[in-house]
Each structure stands twice: as C-alpha cells, then as structure tokens.
C-alpha cells in the first residue's frame, strides 16, 4: 500500500511572498518520486490543521501580514508545539520563522508575541541584509538569498544549524569564542527556521532529503530518494554553481532603512 504524506502550508495567501510554494513543491515532487502519495493542504485563517500532518510549512510576509495572522496562529500554539515535540517536520521562513520565536520587537518598540518554538528573540533593524548567503551545515552547503531587516538573539548555540560562510545571516553564534561567527538556520528536532528565500529547498537537495528522511523515519516508511531525481539535482547543481561564482565575485550588500 502506498504511503500518504501530508504537507500543509499555513496561510499561503498571506505568508507566501518569497517563493514559499516552491519549498512545498520541492518536498512534494521528491516524495512522489520516492514512492509516496502526497497530499498538499493550504490552510488559511480559521481552517483546521489535520491531526495526522507530516510536514508544516510557514512562509514569509511583511509585518502587516504577521499582525494579520497573529491571533489565529496563537490559537494554534498548542497544536504546533505538539507537532514539533512529536518529531514531525516543520519549515518556517522569514516572517513565519519570526512568529515561531519567543517574540519580535519592531522598530517602534512594539513586541509581537511568538509561539516560542525556537528559543530566540527577534529585533527588527534599520539595516536590511540583502545578498547571497552560504551556510555550512551537517548536510553540506545550504545556498540561497537573504533579504531581511532583523537580528535574532539565539539562547542556545546547539540550536544553530551550521555557520555562515558567506553573507551576514540572522544571528551571532553564542559562545563562539575569539572567532566571532554567524548563523542563519535554526533547528530544533525536525523543525527548521531560516531567512533564506527564493525559495530555499529547490536549490538545496540535501536539505530536502534531510527533511524527508526525518518524515520517513518517524512514519517507518520505505522511500527511495534516488529515483527520478537526476534532473532535479542537475538543475540545482547548476544554479548553486552560478551563485557560488557570484559569491566569490561580488561583495555583500546591505541597505540602511
């Protein structure tokens, strides 16, 4: 019997401005080619998240969008915390990631409460970090584009998933010693948060495989992640190579707001 894997994208019409549907699609296509049946569920304000969900994706949007979904998200807090505690997969990008922190302080000094999935706080900044980013992680280099005006404060260095090799990243690594280091990706169990946009997953097949492997292990599914992915990996490798060339040929850009 073919396994069914359920992926939900939360608030896709509101938090989905930086190619976040592409992250869902990357997971969906590789799961299907590995032998799973995939059900993709867009979930809006007031709509129910299925109890048997395998992957939850929350995308990016402006501060107004964060405020727009805030009450609904807070009401889902226990369910999302249980989802993560149960070892299910979660990917949050940009504003979606910020809403899963302990809270976001705006430029005006207002604090927008977060769910506390990630042990970090976020402060919006006047400096906007814009440019390509490369992060060295346990599954290899995660490559993409960062565009955000925020600084995270991470309480536990163990929650940082890798170190920034190029770009600015979202936070300073705690206890980095005499060599200051920056991080960009946060991981708690199978929940991942980042400001890498564009979208992130199509460019980073190894990170997709890491997420899917976690889903398969929790569900005890037998999936062959090598079937039918040659073209996907080839396109990703070409795009990654082009970005690597630009990384070594151009400096990082920032915009002062």
């Amino acid at each position: 019997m073919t396994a069914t894997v359920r992926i939900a994208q939360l608030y896709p019409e509101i938090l989905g401005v930086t190619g976040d549907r592409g992250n869902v699609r990357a997971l969906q296509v590789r799961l299907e080619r590995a032998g799973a049946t995939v059900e993709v569920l867009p979930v809006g304000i007031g709509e129910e998240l299925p109890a048997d969900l395998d992957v939850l994706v929350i995308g990016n949007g402006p501060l107004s969008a964060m405020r727009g979904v805030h009450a609904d998200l807070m009401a889902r807090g226990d369910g999302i915390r249980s989802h993560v505690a149960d070892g299910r997969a979660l990917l949050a990008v940009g504003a979606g990631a910020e809403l899963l922190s302990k809270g976001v302080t705006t430029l005006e000094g207002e604090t927008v409460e977060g769910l506390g999935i990630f042990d970090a706080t976020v402060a919006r900044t006047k400096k906007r970090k814009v440019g390509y980013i490369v992060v060295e992680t346990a599954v290899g280099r995660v490559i993409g584009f960062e565009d955000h005006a925020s600084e995270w404060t991470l309480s536990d260095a163990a929650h940082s998933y890798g170190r920034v090799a190029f770009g600015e990243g979202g936070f300073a690594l705690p206890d980095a010693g005499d060599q200051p280091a920056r991080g960009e990706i946060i991981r708690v169990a199978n929940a991942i948060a980042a400001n890498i946009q564009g979208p992130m997953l199509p460019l980073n097949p190894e990170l997709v495989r890491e997420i899917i492997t976690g889903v398969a292990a929790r569900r005890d599914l037998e999936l062959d992640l090598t079937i039918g992915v040659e073209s996907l990996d080839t396109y990703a490798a070409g795009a990654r190579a082009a970005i690597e060339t630009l990384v070594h040929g151009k400096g990082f850009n920032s915009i002062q707001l």
Side-chain angles (χ1 to χ4, degrees), residues 3-8 37-41 43 48-56 79 82-83 86 88-89 215 218-219 221:
T4 297
V5 175
R6 291 175 177 84
I7 304 172
T37 297
V38 181
E39 184 178 358
V40 176
L41 307 162
V43 178
E48 186 174 353
L49 278 172
D52 55 353
L53 187 64
D54 294 292
V55 186
L56 178 61
S82 294
H83 177 94
D86 197 32
R88 299 169 192 259
V215 171
R218 192 190 67 81
R219 291 274 307 277
L221 303 177

Side-chain angles (χ1 to χ4, degrees), residues 61-244:
L63 185 58
S64 59
M66 290 175 63
R67 290 190 175 112
V69 304
H70 187 263
D72 187 83
L73 184 70
M74 292 299 106
R76 300 178 188 273
D78 288 345
I80 295 176
R81 281 186 282 267
S82 294
H83 177 94
V84 174
D86 197 32
R88 299 169 192 259
L90 181 149
L91 176 67
V93 177
E98 293 183 355
L99 284 169
L100 300 188
S101 72
K102 289 183 173 180
V104 182
T105 301
T106 70
L107 288 174
E108 296 74 30
E110 173 195 0
T111 297
V112 180
E113 181 186 3
L115 287 184
I117 302 293
F118 301 107
D119 189 11
T121 57
V122 182
R124 288 298 180 94
T125 64
K126 290 185 177 180
K127 179 183 179 182
R128 189 166 200 93
K129 303 163 190 174
V130 182
Y132 294 109
I133 186 167
V134 178
V135 185
E136 300 283 1
T137 77
V139 295
R141 287 190 150 199
V142 174
I143 293 175
F145 190 82
E146 62 177 337
D147 180 2
H148 57 101
S150 62
E151 179 70 11
W152 289 58
T153 299
L154 187 61
S155 299
D156 188 345
H159 292 169
S160 175
Y161 194 60
R163 293 190 174 204
V164 173
F166 183 87
E168 286 211 18
F171 53 89
L173 286 179
D175 305 320
D178 295 332
Q179 299 295 325
R182 300 282 294 174
E184 171 51 41
I185 305 171
I186 300 173
R187 181 172 183 175
V188 175
N190 288 320
I192 295 173
N195 272 312
I196 301 175
Q197 304 165 15
M200 174 172 63
L201 292 187
L203 272 176
N204 295 285
E206 293 304 327
L207 186 58
V208 183
R209 280 188 270 267
E210 177 74 4
I211 294 171
I212 293 175
T213 297
V215 171
R218 192 190 67 81
R219 291 274 307 277
D220 197 24
L221 303 177
E222 292 186 7
L223 300 176
D224 188 343
L225 299 180
T226 67
I227 296 176
V229 297
E230 183 177 350
S231 62
L232 300 177
D233 288 346
T234 298
Y235 286 130
R240 288 165 62 86
I243 292 173
E244 291 264 23

